[in-house]
Amino acid sequence: MDGLLLGAGMLLGSYVLIYYNFIKAVPCMSPVNLKGKTAVVTGGNTGIGKMMALELAQRGARVVLACRSKEKGEAAVYDIRKGSGPTGKEVEGVQVFSPLSLHRCLQDSGNNEVIFMMLDLSSLTSVRSFATAFLSSEPRLDLLIHNAGISSCGKAKETFNLILRVNHVGPFLLTHLLLPRLKANAPSRVVVMASAAHRRGHLDFSRLDRPVCGWQQELRAYADSKLANVLFTRELATQLEGTGVTCYAAHPGPVNSELFLRHVPGWLHLLLSPLAWLVLRTPRGGAQTPLHCALQEGIEPLSGRYFANCHVEEVPTSARDDRAARRLWEASEKLAGLTKEGTLNTSPQPGSPHSPLAQVATDSAPSRFRNL
């Protein structure tokens, strides 16, 4: 019996050490108040995106949840709006919030300036429609947070790389279309949700947008898309130098979200869920690093860098290759239907029978992914 208790104690102690050294998230410590600011969070209806939207709303921001599902998006708006948010204190006439006060109120914000707008990142037509609607109705944009993403194509059968489309090409186009508003409201920021998976990525420009089939190709495509996120952020920072708009790639850490479990068979989901609860961060924990990138003052000189655990982290050579970043930018312009001059291309769009790229999704394409 004593041996059993000793073994249980050692097991518990080991878990505590692992949790506090590798799992527990470093909290965002920024006290910034966002009253009068506007933020767009893609995939803000669930998981990490919802936790980020909640905290931005608690700080007084007007928050736009850009999601594919109207039902889930409007439900998230209701959840975030209801109740009363934490109370800040006045410092030299400005209301500031401590991280502790913000974390005490995690289910609601008391902020009615939270709205839903339709966005399906698998459809470039939807991305353009969202940008048009946003620019015609919202006079400000201070924070653009690219949170939405997928790791699997599910049952969707597309003629293009759906994972790259949702994780990179759609956000690339959305950033381009909203940049004038971001510049007009500088200082402003763009945060791109990255992942440590970028270290396994390799961009083959000869087959960037080919369809993905099977779980092995999906794992590869996901890592490639995350490398694209890091390179995109690097090149975007170069192009935005001197504009007052800064950008950051943020790794949320290992998070217990729908991203990897959504397409797992039911019996395996039941098996993995308890394990995920033990060894992965909560969505709130996963939100801390992207929130740090969105809110922390003084990190502007680090624009274009990759953050993990609320600190800058070095990336492998493949993720700081400026030539590859520029080449990806040019390829992304083509995949997004943009000309080099930055105007929408009126020639046959990718995906049409006359286009060599054959990549653009139609609005009726059956995309299956989380947070959209």
Side-chain angles (χ1 to χ4, degrees):
M1 186 64 175
D2 290 343
L4 185 63
L5 289 174
L6 178 62
M10 292 179 65
L11 187 63
L12 179 61
S14 299
Y15 174 74
V16 170
L17 286 173
I18 292 171
Y19 177 81
Y20 281 98
N21 284 281
F22 300 103
I23 300 174
K24 183 176 173 60
V26 176
C28 170
M29 301 302 292
S30 171
V32 168
N33 176 259
L34 298 176
K35 189 172 181 61
K37 307 292 186 181
T38 298
V40 170
V41 182
T42 67
N45 61 288
T46 188
I48 298 171
K50 188 175 182 181
M51 290 298 100
M52 285 192 288
L54 173 62
E55 184 140 356
L56 297 175
Q58 287 174 328
R59 293 171 183 256
R62 178 173 174 81
V63 183
V64 178
L65 305 186
C67 318
R68 186 179 71 93
S69 170
K70 181 179 180 182
E71 180 182 0
K72 292 179 180 179
E74 290 181 343
V77 166
Y78 174 79
D79 289 343
I80 295 170
R81 281 183 176 184
K82 69 179 182 179
S84 56
T87 303
K89 62 180 180 179
E90 293 268 337
V91 177
E92 296 182 355
V94 178
Q95 192 177 37
V96 298
F97 298 90
S98 71
L100 180 60
S101 71
L102 287 166
H103 291 163
R104 283 174 179 166
C105 182
L106 295 167
Q107 299 305 315
D108 46 51
S109 66
N111 181 352
N112 288 324
E113 293 293 303
V114 181
I115 65 171
F116 159 79
M117 292 182 70
M118 183 76 73
L119 173 64
D120 181 350
L121 286 169
S122 73
S123 166
L124 301 186
T125 300
S126 176
V127 174
R128 294 181 184 116
S129 296
F130 171 87
T132 299
F134 179 87
L135 294 172
S136 64
S137 62
E138 299 293 329
R140 294 193 62 90
L141 179 57
D142 303 273
L143 292 171
L144 174 58
I145 301 178
H146 292 299
N147 161 75
I150 62 172
S151 62
S152 170
C153 299
K155 297 179 180 179
K157 302 297 181 183
E158 307 290 8
T159 59
F160 53 87
N161 185 335
L162 182 61
I163 293 175
L164 185 76
R165 167 67 60 77
V166 175
N167 293 358
H168 170 65
V169 180
F172 175 89
L173 176 60
L174 183 61
T175 302
H176 171 85
L177 296 174
L178 297 183
L179 265 182
R181 189 59 47 89
L182 285 163
K183 291 178 180 178
N185 291 279
S188 54
R189 295 185 182 184
V190 178
V191 179
V192 180
M193 191 70 78
S195 167
H198 79 271
R199 299 179 184 279
R200 303 191 305 272
H202 172 74
L203 296 179
D204 182 347
F205 289 96
S206 67
R207 51 185 299 131
L208 259 189
D209 213 32
R210 291 191 182 181
V212 174
C213 181
W215 66 270
Q216 290 179 312
Q217 287 189 19
E218 288 179 342
L219 287 175
R220 168 70 180 274
Y222 179 75
D224 293 348
S225 73
K226 294 293 108 177
L227 175 58
N229 290 156
V230 177
L231 289 172
F232 164 56
T233 304
R234 187 177 182 88
E235 178 64 20
L236 182 63
T238 299
Q239 299 211 13
L240 291 176
E241 190 172 351
T243 66
V245 184
T246 52
C247 56
Y248 312 89
H251 172 40
V255 179
N256 184 10
S257 72
E258 297 178 13
L259 183 60
F260 290 99
L261 291 180
R262 182 166 188 172
H263 301 291
V264 170
W267 65 270
L268 188 56
H269 194 286
L270 290 174
L271 183 66
L272 292 177
S273 290
L275 182 63
W277 183 81
L278 283 172
V279 302
L280 300 179
R281 294 175 181 173
T282 64
R284 188 202 321 165
Q288 298 309 303
T289 295
L291 283 169
H292 174 85
C293 292
L295 304 173
Q296 185 63 45
E297 295 176 317
I299 64 170
E300 291 80 5
L302 300 173
S303 181
R305 301 291 295 276
Y306 173 85
F307 282 73
N309 291 316
C310 297
H311 292 93
V312 169
E313 188 171 289
E314 292 303 318
V315 295
T317 304
S318 61
R320 45 189 166 86
D321 183 335
D322 289 330
R323 291 182 61 186
R326 183 61 201 170
R327 189 176 179 187
L328 174 66
W329 185 281
E330 293 170 353
S332 300
E333 286 181 322
K334 294 178 181 178
L335 294 175
L338 295 168
T339 65
K340 289 185 178 180
E341 290 73 31
T343 57
L344 287 179
N345 193 344
T346 57
S347 61
Q349 292 296 305
S352 73
H354 307 291
S355 169
L357 292 174
Q359 316 301 351
V360 173
T362 63
D363 288 332
S364 59
S367 46
R368 309 268 196 274
F369 40 86
R370 65 98 172 162
N371 281 11
L372 291 180

